[in-house]
């Protein structure tokens, strides 16, 4: 589900992709990668920023708002040690 903060992130990514990458990942290697991609071509920087936003949105859907830690390279892990079931596929019923 898209929230207003995600819409703002997308608008920031359209205007200046490294700022959106910094908001999502903080000062990390992904920020440096996004800066280099934006310098090499504005379009690759957009793709990378949108990918980072998409991965953050997936983590929020899976672990809840604020229930995850960013590990780098678009990977997130839950803060607590609970196990989260995989999303059920088409026709599957989750009983948990």
């Amino acid at each position: 589900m898209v929230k207003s903060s995600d819409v703002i992130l997308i608008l920031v990514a359209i205007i200046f992709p490294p700022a959106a990458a910094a908001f999502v990942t903080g000062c990390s290697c992904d920020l440096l990668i996004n800066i280099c991609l934006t310098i090499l071509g504005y379009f690759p920087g957009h793709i990378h920023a949108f990918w980072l936003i998409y991965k953050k949105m997936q983590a929020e859907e899976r672990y809840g708002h604020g229930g995850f830690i960013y590990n780098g390279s678009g990977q997130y892990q839950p803060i607590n040690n609970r196990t989260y079931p995989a999303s059920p596929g088409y026709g599957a019923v989750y009983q948990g």
Side-chain angles (χ1 to χ4, degrees), residues 8-75:
I8 293 171
L9 267 176
I10 291 169
L11 291 175
V12 169
I14 291 170
I15 296 168
F16 189 60
F23 292 151
V24 172
T25 65
C27 186
S28 67
C29 186
D30 283 317
L31 175 61
L32 180 63
I33 290 170
N34 194 279
I35 290 170
C36 291
L37 286 172
T38 304
I39 290 171
L40 291 173
Y42 205 59
F43 190 65
H46 277 100
I47 293 173
H48 186 252
F50 291 141
W51 179 75
L52 290 173
I53 293 169
Y54 172 72
K55 295 301 272 185
K56 180 186 144 304
M57 288 170 57
Q58 278 186 333
E60 284 180 348
E61 286 179 7
R62 183 167 187 167
Y63 305 124
H65 181 68
F68 53 86
I69 299 173
Y70 184 70
N71 287 338
S73 300
Q75 301 295 320

